[in-house]
Amino acid sequence: MDLKTNFKESLIYPIRNYKNFILLGTLFIVLDINSIVFLNNLSSNDHVLSIFCILDSIILLIIIIGNLISIIQENTLINKFDLEWGKKFVIGIKGFLIFSFGTIIPLILFLIITYITGTGEYYLDMLEIGVNGLTINFTVMFNDSSIIFLLINIFIVLLFTYFTVIALARLAHTNSLKESINIKKIIEDLKNIGVIHFTLWILVMFILMIIMSIVYNKISCISYIGMIISSYILIPYVAMFLFKSIGNEYSI
């Protein structure tokens, strides 16, 4: 499936599947409430409430991931399995582990490279926080020799993005954590999809995510109404769009 057809189909998918859209919106709202309660509770000594918020948030994330993986599963035509609530939770746990591995390891590598090379100040100068939120100072980015280490970190993130996306698609396809993280199979799948095609897809999705983040930040500034709009409409829409697009990519 070409990128244009993929994105066109993925954009209308959340609207066609409005029941799942409403469900995910509700889950994201509860997740947001959990975060607010947790942050407001930091100044108190109520550790029980803090622990409850953390555990509740993890459970909600697992349920959300399980539902999103079921979207990918719609595109996998071989070895389909019925994703009932219990199975969604189980596959959500597996997806949560893949997500954690795909984000924590690159973060650790980033911190190690930054510490060894002493490029922490470079990143602080490049990223500026102002009234318009987080912005990038491109003058600093391109006029500093430290850009080579930035490119190394971007390459690492790209590799783990390949791994995470295909591993999630394989999880929806096989329902097996072991099979989903099989590096040899992941490389084969990447070759079948096409490295250039998949890289272009990642770049386009990255640009779209940046645009969505800007919209999210603007809407969220409108007090609690903005938070509700963002959590109940924007975030579930983007999530369903993304996972439908992943399913389309893996099915080509």
Side-chain angles (χ1 to χ4, degrees), residues 28-94:
F28 278 115
I29 280 285
V30 177
L31 192 62
D32 256 6
I33 293 172
N34 258 359
S35 301
I36 293 171
V37 172
F38 176 77
L39 292 173
N40 290 335
N41 188 60
L42 287 177
S43 57
S44 70
N45 292 320
D46 192 352
H47 301 301
V48 175
L49 181 59
S50 296
I51 294 173
F52 173 80
C53 288
I54 293 172
L55 293 176
D56 193 34
S57 295
I58 292 174
I59 292 172
L60 285 170
L61 281 172
I62 289 172
I63 295 172
I64 289 170
I65 292 171
N67 273 274
L68 292 174
I69 289 176
S70 70
I71 295 174
I72 303 176
Q73 191 263 344
E74 293 176 11
N75 291 75
T76 57
L77 304 177
I78 303 174
N79 296 331
K80 276 195 172 184
F81 51 91
D82 295 324
L83 283 178
E84 299 169 353
W85 273 102
K87 292 180 179 179
K88 280 185 180 181
F89 189 79
V90 173
I91 203 170
I93 294 174
K94 298 173 183 177

Side-chain angles (χ1 to χ4, degrees), residues 92-111:
I93 294 174
K94 298 173 183 177
F96 181 80
L97 293 174
I98 292 173
F99 262 120
S100 300
F101 179 82
T103 52
I104 292 174
I105 300 301
L107 178 60
I108 292 174
L109 291 175
F110 169 77
L111 293 174

Side-chain angles (χ1 to χ4, degrees), residues 68-189:
L68 292 174
I69 289 176
S70 70
I71 295 174
I72 303 176
Q73 191 263 344
E74 293 176 11
N75 291 75
T76 57
L77 304 177
I78 303 174
N79 296 331
K80 276 195 172 184
F81 51 91
D82 295 324
L83 283 178
E84 299 169 353
W85 273 102
K87 292 180 179 179
K88 280 185 180 181
F89 189 79
V90 173
I91 203 170
I93 294 174
K94 298 173 183 177
F96 181 80
L97 293 174
I98 292 173
F99 262 120
S100 300
F101 179 82
T103 52
I104 292 174
I105 300 301
L107 178 60
I108 292 174
L109 291 175
F110 169 77
L111 293 174
I112 291 174
I113 293 173
T114 301
Y115 176 76
I116 293 175
T117 59
T119 51
E121 187 175 345
Y122 165 69
Y123 293 115
L124 291 175
D125 291 338
M126 183 181 69
L127 300 175
E128 299 176 344
I129 301 176
V131 291
N132 295 321
L134 188 65
T135 58
I136 299 176
N137 188 326
F138 290 99
T139 303
V140 174
M141 177 188 288
F142 294 112
N143 289 345
D144 195 299
S145 58
S146 298
I147 191 175
I148 184 65
F149 301 112
L150 174 63
L151 294 176
I152 291 173
N153 282 314
I154 291 174
F155 178 72
I156 292 172
V157 169
L158 187 61
L159 284 180
F160 276 88
T161 301
Y162 287 148
F163 168 84
T164 304
V165 172
I166 296 179
L168 288 173
R170 288 188 57 78
L171 178 61
H173 182 75
T174 64
N175 195 23
S176 168
L177 182 60
K178 182 179 179 181
E179 280 298 313
S180 66
I181 59 176
N182 186 318
I183 301 299
K184 183 178 178 181
K185 295 289 185 181
I186 288 176
I187 293 173
E188 289 178 3
D189 287 341

